[in-house]
Amino acid sequence: MNQFKQIRLADGVRLNYISTERFRTSAISVAFVLPLAEADRARAALAPFVLRRGCEGVPDMTAVSGKLSELYGARMEAFVRKRGEVLLTGLISDVIDERFAGDGEPLTRQTVELMCRMLLHPVTENGAFLQKYVESEKNNMVQRIQARKNDKRAWAVRRMFELMCAEEAYGLSEYGEIEAVQAVEPSDLYAYYQWMLAHAGMEIFYCGSLKEDQLREVFGALTEQLPQGDRIRTVHSEIRRRADEVRTVIEEEPVTQGKLTIGLRTGITAQDELYPAMVLFNACFGGSTASRLFLGVRETLSLCYYASSQTDKTKGVMSVSSGIENANYERARDEILRELKDMQDGGITEQELETARRSVLSSLRSMQDSPLSMEQFYQTQAVGGAPGGLDELTARIERTTREQVTLAAQSASVDTIYFLKGGAAHD
């Protein structure tokens, strides 16, 4: 078992950690926590990529690479994530655990020191970030935003949620809009980042062999140097438990394959008692290769090239994603909805449930084999206000009943049916 613990380091600053000797590497992340609706998303997303370019004493990418090589090939990357209606932006690293370092070198401490230097002492000129760093990362961000449309499968899901949640923060992009990114100047980016340092909530994650007293000391240098301010403590996502009506939106693009995406509201988040049942319902419905959508709609009826479902445990929504021939739109839609109705009417069999349970438990076990996978899981738990860890969730999955899974299925109401209709041209 991996013992998970949370401790308060300062007002609005929390350390989430797992002290374990299972792994050869340690994972470390520092995330600024902002409300997606109120954040200057373009600046918040750009900031960590500019910070990663260099800091005092390690002023450019060449120097940063050299420093990471000295740390036994440690990695340090910027990240931007959307979790429900929470924006997370910061730095993440993995490094050889000191138990495997020569002469007991304090690799975690040295890695955290480098991360702190990037966060607290970036390279500046005339009270602003370096122009060349900002312009380079602006170009990278614009390309990142534009590239999203190249993956039509993921784009269709994103577009569906834009439509479904047009009046909610969840419909917003965590990167901001291209025009906003292009308008960023080094001085206002630096000013916004200084505001983030003083006011954004902060979630720190560590998975490795260090104990609590050592972690308090290691991260103490970061918290002691943070500017004082009224820090954001909690960001809540708006949860709508039922769809008001079913909307259908059809858009056409020159793609070879149509994308049928269905958005559903469940209202069940990781904080809810029925959350383990929702995990199992999703696995039965479309979350595994033994699911109704995969075996029935795709394999047996051959209506889809792919068909799957996934949930967002911080927002209480679900999406069904499928690739189809244009001519199969109505049949595929109706069959997907028929399978959903059957499961809501109690049609889930014990065999289906046990197959889904094995699949989910296997995924949870594999997640516990990777410090970086656990970083993603526990960071999401932290910002979503969800109780417990992987071991507790595993135990709850093991004792969830078919009746509870049916109740979870009944919570799902269709909100938006989105069809990205394929045109004549190729991708």
Side-chain angles (χ1 to χ4, degrees):
M1 293 178 65
N2 295 312
Q3 188 63 42
F4 172 69
K5 190 172 182 180
Q6 293 179 321
I7 56 176
R8 177 184 176 276
L9 295 178
D11 187 34
V13 182
R14 183 166 55 180
L15 170 63
N16 308 271
Y17 76 92
I18 298 170
S19 183
T20 177
E21 296 187 353
R22 286 188 59 195
F23 308 111
R24 295 183 64 87
T25 59
S26 299
I28 306 155
S29 70
V30 176
F32 295 100
V33 182
L34 296 163
L36 192 65
E38 300 170 22
D40 187 325
R41 291 170 288 123
R43 290 171 174 80
L46 274 171
F49 292 96
V50 174
L51 296 171
R52 173 64 177 75
R53 298 292 292 262
C55 55
E56 291 181 5
V58 194
D60 53 38
M61 293 292 285
T62 300
V64 170
S65 295
K67 186 65 176 178
L68 292 173
S69 294
E70 293 174 10
L71 297 173
Y72 288 65
R75 292 183 295 175
M76 186 88 66
E77 302 295 341
F79 68 84
V80 179
R81 299 169 182 164
K82 181 170 76 172
R83 295 293 183 265
E85 294 174 354
V86 180
L87 176 63
L88 298 165
T89 178
L91 296 174
I92 184 169
S93 177
D94 63 344
V95 61
I96 297 292
D97 195 281
E98 24 264 272
R99 292 176 301 121
F100 300 98
D103 301 321
E105 290 186 64
L107 295 181
T108 298
R109 180 184 299 276
Q110 293 173 18
T111 303
V112 172
E113 286 174 353
L114 176 59
M115 186 178 286
C116 290
R117 218 184 309 174
M118 288 180 171
L119 292 168
L120 299 169
H121 305 288
V123 179
T124 60
E125 59 181 1
N126 301 320
F129 286 122
L130 262 64
Q131 179 86 32
K132 63 180 180 179
Y133 289 177
V134 174
E135 291 304 318
S136 176
E137 292 306 331
K138 283 168 58 176
N139 290 334
N140 291 339
M141 186 64 71
V142 168
Q143 292 175 20
R144 195 174 287 116
I145 295 171
Q146 292 173 333
R148 286 186 156 181
K149 290 200 72 171
N150 296 334
D151 182 350
K152 297 303 182 184
R153 178 172 181 170
W155 171 253
V157 175
R158 178 172 292 276
R159 177 63 179 149
M160 180 275 294
F161 277 128
E162 285 181 359
L163 296 164
M164 174 172 159
C165 302
E167 298 178 355
E168 302 157 72
Y170 193 71
L172 299 172
S173 166
E174 61 270 37
Y175 293 142
E177 312 309 322
I178 288 178
E179 296 77 10
V181 172
Q182 292 172 330
V184 172
E185 295 293 336
S187 57
D188 57 52
L189 177 59
Y190 185 74
Y192 188 75
Y193 178 63
Q194 294 305 304
W195 179 90
M196 287 172 58
L197 279 174
H199 299 290
M202 189 174 286
E203 294 288 350
I204 301 171
F205 176 84
Y206 170 78
C207 176
S209 64
L210 297 188
K211 307 304 180 186
E212 181 176 331
D213 58 338
Q214 296 171 302
L215 292 172
R216 286 182 180 274
E217 182 182 353
V218 166
F219 289 104
L222 171 61
T223 55
E224 289 170 6
Q225 295 180 67
L226 287 173
Q228 298 300 308
D230 293 328
R231 199 169 292 279
I232 296 167
R233 294 178 180 83
T234 306
V235 182
H236 296 289
S237 295
E238 179 184 354
I239 308 299
R240 298 188 182 184
R241 298 196 173 273
R242 304 295 295 179
D244 296 328
E245 60 180 356
V246 179
R247 295 177 296 172
T248 298
V249 179
I250 299 176
E251 296 180 335
E252 186 168 344
E253 287 193 17
V255 296
T256 57
Q257 186 185 105
K259 310 295 180 186
L260 169 60
T261 306
I262 300 175
L264 306 96
R265 296 189 185 271
T266 70
I268 296 178
T269 71
Q271 300 182 51
D272 290 290
E273 187 65 29
L274 273 180
Y275 174 66
M278 175 56 65
V279 173
L280 288 171
F281 160 57
N282 179 64
C284 288
F285 184 40
S288 74
T289 55
S291 67
R292 293 279 187 99
L293 297 185
F294 188 90
L295 293 180
V297 183
R298 178 185 184 275
E299 294 290 301
T300 302
L301 298 178
S302 299
L303 291 175
C304 307
Y305 295 105
Y306 63 84
S308 63
S309 66
Q310 62 182 14
T311 62
D312 185 327
K313 66 181 181 181
T314 55
K315 176 63 176 172
V317 293
M318 168 182 274
S319 63
V320 173
S321 176
S322 64
I324 63 174
E325 293 289 345
N326 289 342
N328 286 336
Y329 163 65
E330 292 185 353
R331 287 187 62 207
R333 177 200 61 194
D334 293 348
E335 189 61 29
I336 290 169
L337 297 180
R338 189 196 69 76
E339 292 287 9
L340 173 64
K341 180 67 165 57
D342 181 70
M343 298 178 80
Q344 291 175 327
D345 289 342
I348 302 169
T349 67
E350 287 291 348
Q351 181 178 351
E352 280 182 301
L353 175 58
E354 293 311 312
T355 300
R357 199 191 312 270
R358 288 193 297 272
S359 174
V360 170
L361 292 175
S362 176
S363 295
L364 293 177
R365 283 192 293 269
S366 65
M367 191 182 298
Q368 297 192 62
D369 291 334
S370 166
L372 291 176
S373 293
M374 288 197 289
E375 186 271 342
Q376 290 256 11
F377 175 85
Y378 282 105
Q379 188 189 74
T380 304
Q381 291 285 100
V383 299
L390 278 167
D391 293 323
E392 180 179 332
L393 178 57
T394 296
R396 294 173 68 192
I397 292 289
E398 288 174 339
R399 60 176 182 262
T400 297
T401 66
R402 187 165 69 93
E403 289 72 24
Q404 290 171 317
V405 176
T406 298
L407 283 175
Q410 291 169 351
S411 74
S413 63
V414 177
D415 184 296
T416 300
I417 298 173
Y418 174 70
F419 182 39
L420 182 62
K421 186 177 181 181
H426 294 282
D427 283 305

